[in-house]
Amino acid sequence: LSIADFSYLKPLVMGVSETLKEKNVSLSLPSQRADRFNVEVAEAVQSVRKSTLTFAPEAGTERLRNVINKNLTDAEIMNAVTTAYQSGWNKVKLYFILGLPTETNEDLDGIVDIVRRMKQTCLEMKRDKSLSLKGHLDVNVTLSNFVPKPHTPFQWFPQDSMDTLAQKIQYLRDAFRGMKGVKLNFTDPQISKLEAVISKGGPELADALEGAYRKGAYLDAWDDILNFDKWFAAMDELGMDPEEYTRCRFTNPDEPVPWDVVDMGLSKEWLKTEYERAREAMGTTPCFEECSACGVCGTYSTWPKFIENPYMEEEKTAASVPAVKDAVDAIKPVADLKKPPVCKVRVAIQKKKSVKFLSHLDWLRMFQRALTRSGLPVAYTQGFNPKHKISFGPALSLGVESDGEYIDVFLSSHVTGIADQVNVYLPENGKIISEAVLPLSEPKIDKSIRQMTYTARWTCKDPAKAYMMEERIQQMRSQSDIPMDIETKTSKKSFNLSQYLSDIQFEKDKNDIIVHMTLDVGFTDEGQPIIIKPQWVLDVIEKDTHSASALEWSICRTQIMLKETQKQLVTA
């Protein structure tokens, strides 16, 4: 998506942002085109909260940008960034791609050079101190790796080897070393290699995907779970060489490719022509200037419409787009942002069935958006970026249900019936089930937790395993030392589980085994809570009985127990 290609972007943004600003709702855009950067649009988008501006030069030199048809000059990139700095922005994010076809060390040096020049230019600029007192520009440089993609002219180009990509990453680390105010982010070459294999794979790839799944690769969107060894082992068992897939397969434009059976509307002859133009570093004129006969419009009878000067047609505002206007008007006004909180309401909200598959952060965003839409007088923080003043309880692991998670909502005026007003915007199985008004002096949830209870259920048709599990649980009830090791990507922790296992009970319901456990919450010397996950307890049981893994259990947090002086909102 290139949002800057939308002809009426400026009038649309100007119309929508004015309405949203009154309701303290911020508007955001993806990365902007440097050659079409508009300060008015940027300021309108970030009138509520001024965050980082993002540009995507993709390559460090104009020659390489011509190869990928980016059509951006160094001057246009410099002008966009310096204009943003002059207007009050202190930070920009730049996206580049490593390993592009025909890339040389001169192209890598170009990335370093353009960042150095824009920082130096901004350092020498004089700007109004009322905009910002900061005297330099911070730059976040994000570098991903080139992946050949089907249905593009670059599907025939090979990908750099992982060793070559690693060398280029180190080359740039060394080149940027000592340059203050620059933060580098790189994509792991193994991720890019895996993406390229999947991108260029044929029907045989199905067996590799299933093989990786069988080895446990099915939650790999989370970095702490992603294990490349499982993927590459599955490919190796099928005789698939990742390097052959990404560097040798389908590099001849005249040979058939597996995805030829998919009609994207693009003419393959046009793709071949663009492939040759890329090799010669010849750009292609954008279709709003001249049709290059790619085939899409002819196939689908969808002809693009453009206007000559979109920024001159100010009458095209959000009001002329009914769907946008209705959506904006539906947002209820917020209370005075400067008004301090007068009370807080502790609510308990369910996380059941399908809602348990929402990650903790997504679940928090869901609740915050529901609050915004409800129009309740939620108090706001008084920092640089005002946000809802909300306090959450301990995070719940993905896939674990809960009978009620605590959330403290601070209000700038007294209101009753929060549940009725917010539940309208929450999904089924994710509603507020109770609420209690508390004084502002009441301690935070994470400072008040003492115990949490869980119920775990597993279908077991083997009486012997059920017996072994019952015996093990009875032992754990009286065991004073249950050693446990927890490994993360950065550390390994060892502790005595029995210190936190207040109680554990075994129950059998036909073929279902039910484990009830009560886990104490400890605190570090700094006062931070130590939360024991129920999955860890189940891992101990599985290790000693060779029964179900923690992933096979259905787990529910049934109660969060706070200090005795505080009212319990949820009882299983």
Side-chain angles (χ1 to χ4, degrees):
L1 173 66
S2 177
I3 192 67
D5 287 338
F6 177 52
S7 300
Y8 295 106
L9 177 64
K10 180 182 176 182
L12 176 66
V13 167
M14 302 298 281
V16 172
S17 63
E18 280 302 311
T19 307
L20 292 180
K21 183 179 179 180
E22 300 171 0
K23 302 176 181 182
N24 204 44
V25 176
S26 61
L27 188 66
S28 63
L29 296 178
S31 62
Q32 301 184 57
R33 287 185 57 136
D35 57 338
R36 299 188 188 180
F37 174 68
N38 185 277
V39 172
E40 290 180 82
V41 171
E43 290 179 339
V45 165
Q46 307 199 51
S47 57
V48 175
R49 57 188 297 266
K50 183 168 285 191
S51 58
T52 305
L53 284 175
T54 303
F55 300 99
E58 308 291 8
T61 61
E62 291 184 15
R63 182 202 68 82
L64 192 53
R65 286 194 288 273
N66 286 335
V67 170
I68 62 174
N69 208 38
K70 188 66 180 179
N71 298 321
L72 266 182
T73 65
D74 288 353
E76 288 170 332
I77 298 169
M78 289 290 294
N79 180 66
V81 172
T82 53
T83 300
Y85 180 79
Q86 187 73 51
S87 301
W89 272 268
N90 296 316
K91 182 184 290 186
V92 296
K93 181 183 291 185
L94 302 177
Y95 283 117
F96 293 94
I97 300 176
L98 289 181
L100 287 168
T102 75
E103 184 179 68
T104 64
N105 281 354
E106 286 73 18
D107 299 306
L108 301 182
D109 292 336
I111 297 175
V112 182
D113 179 62
I114 197 169
V115 173
R116 181 185 290 112
R117 284 192 290 123
M118 64 177 56
K119 283 185 62 64
Q120 184 62 35
T121 301
C122 291
L123 188 65
E124 297 170 356
M125 292 177 67
K126 303 295 182 182
R127 62 177 179 178
D128 189 344
K129 291 185 177 181
S130 64
L131 294 174
S132 176
L133 295 175
K134 198 167 186 178
H136 70 274
L137 177 74
D138 289 326
V139 183
N140 285 351
V141 181
T142 298
L143 299 113
S144 57
N145 305 310
F146 168 70
V147 176
K149 297 293 178 65
H151 312 292
T152 72
F154 299 95
Q155 63 188 8
W156 296 293
F157 283 107
Q159 184 188 48
D160 281 346
S161 67
M162 284 193 287
D163 288 342
T164 300
L165 289 173
Q167 291 171 8
K168 290 181 177 181
I169 289 173
Q170 189 58 51
Y171 183 89
L172 287 174
R173 287 189 191 279
D174 294 339
F176 273 107
R177 187 170 287 118
M179 194 182 300
K180 294 183 178 180
V182 178
K183 181 180 179 181
L184 299 179
N185 299 289
F186 296 95
T187 300
D188 190 330
Q190 292 188 100
I191 291 180
S192 303
K193 185 63 60 178
L194 185 57
E195 288 177 351
V197 172
I198 295 174
S199 179
K200 300 189 76 169
E204 75 287 348
L205 187 65
D207 292 332
L209 294 175
E210 183 177 348
Y213 163 76
R214 298 292 180 191
K215 294 178 181 297
Y218 53 90
L219 291 175
D220 291 30
W222 285 267
D223 291 341
D224 58 334
I225 294 178
L226 179 57
N227 188 321
F228 295 105
D229 291 341
K230 296 175 182 177
W231 286 92
F232 294 129
M235 295 176 193
D236 185 60
E237 290 175 3
L238 296 169
M240 296 173 59
D241 181 2
E243 289 292 332
E244 178 186 350
Y245 266 72
T246 60
R247 296 186 53 75
C248 305
R249 295 190 85 200
F250 313 129
T251 56
N252 181 358
D254 294 324
E255 67 177 316
V257 293
W259 49 92
D260 279 341
V261 297
V262 180
D263 182 11
M264 298 291 289
L266 288 165
S267 164
K268 193 167 184 180
E269 291 304 314
W270 180 82
L271 290 175
K272 291 180 182 179
T273 300
E274 290 299 298
Y275 166 76
E276 294 297 337
R277 292 179 69 86
R279 293 180 63 184
E280 299 297 327
M282 296 173 59
T284 298
T285 305
C287 62
F288 53 79
E289 294 181 14
E290 179 181 282
C291 179
S292 59
C294 68
V296 172
C297 293
T299 301
Y300 296 110
S301 298
T302 304
W303 302 93
K305 294 182 180 179
F306 302 97
I307 59 175
E308 293 182 2
N309 195 339
Y311 295 140
M312 295 301 291
E313 301 203 8
E314 299 293 344
E315 70 277 7
K316 294 284 187 179
T317 63
S320 66
V321 187
V324 174
K325 186 177 186 301
D326 292 345
V328 171
D329 289 344
I331 301 175
K332 299 176 183 178
V334 298
D336 185 356
L337 301 182
K338 302 295 184 182
K339 200 171 181 181
V342 297
C343 70
K344 68 177 176 181
V345 178
R346 180 162 294 166
V347 302
I349 177 172
Q350 286 183 320
K351 198 174 183 185
K352 309 285 280 187
K353 296 184 179 180
S354 60
V355 179
K356 72 180 181 180
F357 296 112
L358 284 177
S359 70
H360 183 65
L361 289 178
D362 286 335
W363 182 72
L364 300 188
R365 294 187 189 104
M366 175 194 73
F367 183 77
Q368 290 171 326
R369 287 167 180 163
L371 277 181
T372 298
R373 298 178 70 186
S374 71
L376 285 167
V378 182
Y380 280 75
T381 60
Q382 299 302 305
F384 181 68
N385 292 323
K387 299 178 181 178
H388 286 148
K389 192 170 178 61
I390 305 174
S391 178
F392 297 92
L396 196 64
S397 298
L398 186 73
V400 176
E401 294 185 331
S402 175
D403 286 334
E405 295 295 288
Y406 289 155
I407 302 176
D408 285 346
V409 180
F410 292 79
L411 302 176
S412 58
S413 60
H414 292 279
V415 177
T416 58
I418 281 184
D420 292 337
Q421 299 180 62
V422 179
N423 278 346
V424 176
Y425 305 104
L426 291 173
E428 289 299 323
N429 306 307
K431 306 281 190 182
I432 295 175
I433 55 176
S434 58
E435 60 184 85
V437 179
L438 302 175
L440 292 175
S441 59
E442 195 73 26
K444 291 183 177 181
I445 299 170
D446 60 354
K447 301 295 184 184
S448 307
I449 296 175
R450 290 297 173 262
Q451 288 182 327
M452 289 183 285
T453 63
Y454 295 87
T455 295
R457 181 183 290 264
W458 174 52
T459 301
C460 176
K461 297 182 180 180
D462 187 341
K465 285 188 176 181
Y467 174 78
M468 292 172 60
M469 191 171 293
E470 183 176 11
E471 288 291 306
R472 178 63 183 121
I473 290 173
Q474 291 301 328
Q475 292 175 4
M476 293 173 68
R477 287 174 55 81
S478 57
Q479 199 170 345
S480 60
D481 186 17
I482 306 176
M484 177 128 198
D485 295 326
I486 299 298
E487 289 189 44
T488 66
K489 280 192 171 183
T490 57
S491 64
K492 180 178 180 180
K493 297 181 180 179
S494 300
F495 59 91
N496 182 4
L497 183 61
S498 64
Q499 293 180 343
Y500 304 97
L501 187 60
S502 177
D503 189 29
I504 185 168
Q505 301 281 348
F506 176 89
E507 180 185 347
K508 202 163 185 311
D509 180 17
K510 297 180 181 179
N511 286 331
D512 282 359
I513 290 174
I514 305 172
V515 178
H516 304 282
M517 63 186 86
T518 302
L519 302 176
D520 292 336
V521 176
F523 290 88
T524 65
D525 295 338
E526 294 76 25
Q528 296 300 316
I530 301 174
I531 306 295
I532 303 300
K533 296 182 179 181
Q535 295 93 324
W536 298 349
V537 180
L538 298 175
D539 282 338
V540 171
I541 299 173
E542 187 275 332
K543 179 180 178 182
D544 295 337
T545 61
H546 304 289
S547 53
S549 70
L551 289 173
E552 296 179 74
W553 292 83
S554 296
I555 308 173
C556 179
R557 184 147 71 192
T558 54
Q559 192 175 25
I560 298 176
M561 290 170 279
L562 309 178
K563 291 180 180 178
E564 294 181 359
T565 58
Q566 297 187 12
K567 181 180 178 181
Q568 306 304 315
L569 300 185
V570 182
T571 302

